[in-house]
């Protein structure tokens, strides 16, 4: 199994941008959000199970998961959130593991937004890299990207592991308070570190 690093951080912290910079340097990237989107696309088996468990109104006319409606339910109903996770998380974890195992890159960045919350990736990743950013900057990024109201973004932030806990549990840290140019030297330094660690493992 290739050397794998778990990349996480709160919503809007810049995980995707950081992952792309690692990819440009030759790292493999496995994005669990991308896997989740594929698994909940039109006609996928998990969508049928979601429709059976929650009702057809949570599936779009095209046969995909209605993400906005399901997100709203998950935030309002902790039991529904747990049920949804029980359907999707094991499938996402298995596919992530398959993709890491197939990678021919010197090491793999596994992007897991809820890495600490899920607890499911401890045996797959050898280190944890946290992307940290000022909360107002995160809110603005999510607002621009997803067109969500501030109150909803704050609710998402409140539902995730807090900044202090992220920092406490990080093996490595990237600060994302500026532009991409400010990220590049941080990523380059960690890339060299991960190449050395992968070579030793």
């Amino acid at each position: 199994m290739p050397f794998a690093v778990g990349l996480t951080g709160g919503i809007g912290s810049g995980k995707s941008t950081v992952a792309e910079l690692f990819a440009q340097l030759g790292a493999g990237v496995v994005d669990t959000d991308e896997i989740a989107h594929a698994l909940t696309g039109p006609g996928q088996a998990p969508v049928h199970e979601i429709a059976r468990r929650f009702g057809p109104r949570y599936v779009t006319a095209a046969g995909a998961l209605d993400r906005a409606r399901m997100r709203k339910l998950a935030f309002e109903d902790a039991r529904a959130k747990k049920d949804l996770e029980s359907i999707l998380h094991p499938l996402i974890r298995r596919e992530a593991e398959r993709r890491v195992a197939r990678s021919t890159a010197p090491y793999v960045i596994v992007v897991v937004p809820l890495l600490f919350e899920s607890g499911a990736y401890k045996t797959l990743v050898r280190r944890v890299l946290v992307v940290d950013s000022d909360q107002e900057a995160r809110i603005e990024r999510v607002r621009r990207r997803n067109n969500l109201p501030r109150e909803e973004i704050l609710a998402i932030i409140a539902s995730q592991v807090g900044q202090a806990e992220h920092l406490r549990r990080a093996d490595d840290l990237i600060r994302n308070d500026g532009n991409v140019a400010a990220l590049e030297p941080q990523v380059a330094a960690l890339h060299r570190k991960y190449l050395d660690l992968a070579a030793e493992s």
Side-chain angles (χ1 to χ4, degrees):
M1 185 74 77
F3 186 87
V5 177
L7 190 160
T8 194
I11 187 170
S13 58
K15 297 180 292 296
S16 296
T17 302
V18 169
E20 175 58 30
L21 291 173
F22 275 107
Q24 290 171 14
L25 294 175
V29 173
V30 173
D31 190 329
T32 58
D33 267 356
E34 180 189 308
I35 294 170
H37 274 259
L39 287 171
T40 54
Q44 295 298 309
V47 179
H48 298 307
E49 176 60 19
I50 288 166
R52 188 190 69 77
R53 189 88 59 97
F54 298 99
R57 66 187 179 282
Y58 292 98
V59 178
T60 67
L65 174 67
D66 187 329
R67 292 186 179 87
R69 183 169 282 183
M70 182 54 78
R71 181 170 59 237
K72 186 173 187 298
L73 175 68
F75 275 109
E76 292 172 353
D77 184 339
R79 178 60 189 269
K81 182 174 183 281
K82 206 168 189 66
D83 284 349
L84 179 67
E85 290 172 349
S86 73
I87 295 169
L88 291 177
H89 282 190
L91 299 173
I92 295 167
R93 170 67 167 75
R94 282 200 292 273
E95 178 60 21
E97 194 167 63
R98 277 195 290 270
R99 292 188 186 190
V100 170
R102 287 199 305 262
S103 177
T104 57
Y107 68 91
V108 181
I109 298 290
V110 186
V111 187
V112 190
L114 301 180
L115 180 70
F116 297 136
E117 291 88 339
S118 75
Y121 292 82
K122 291 175 184 173
T123 59
L124 181 61
V125 302
R126 304 277 290 278
R127 294 183 73 80
V128 173
L129 166 60
V130 167
V131 184
D132 188 43
S133 186
D134 173 75
Q135 180 165 297
E136 286 303 317
R138 293 167 56 197
I139 291 168
E140 180 58 22
R141 286 186 198 114
V142 178
R143 191 190 62 75
R144 287 200 310 265
R145 183 183 70 202
N146 300 103
N147 198 30
L148 294 175
R150 181 183 178 86
E151 295 72 27
E152 191 169 337
I153 299 167
L154 287 170
I156 294 170
I157 289 173
S159 74
Q160 297 180 341
V161 164
Q163 183 184 37
E165 183 69 2
H166 271 121
L167 298 180
R168 187 183 71 78
R169 297 172 69 174
D171 295 305
D172 302 302
L173 178 67
I174 283 179
R175 286 291 309 176
N176 183 21
D177 292 325
N179 53 24
V180 173
L183 291 173
E184 288 171 344
Q186 299 181 75
V187 171
L190 285 172
H191 173 66
R192 292 189 294 272
K193 178 179 183 175
Y194 295 153
L195 286 175
D196 289 344
L197 290 170
E200 293 167 5
S201 65

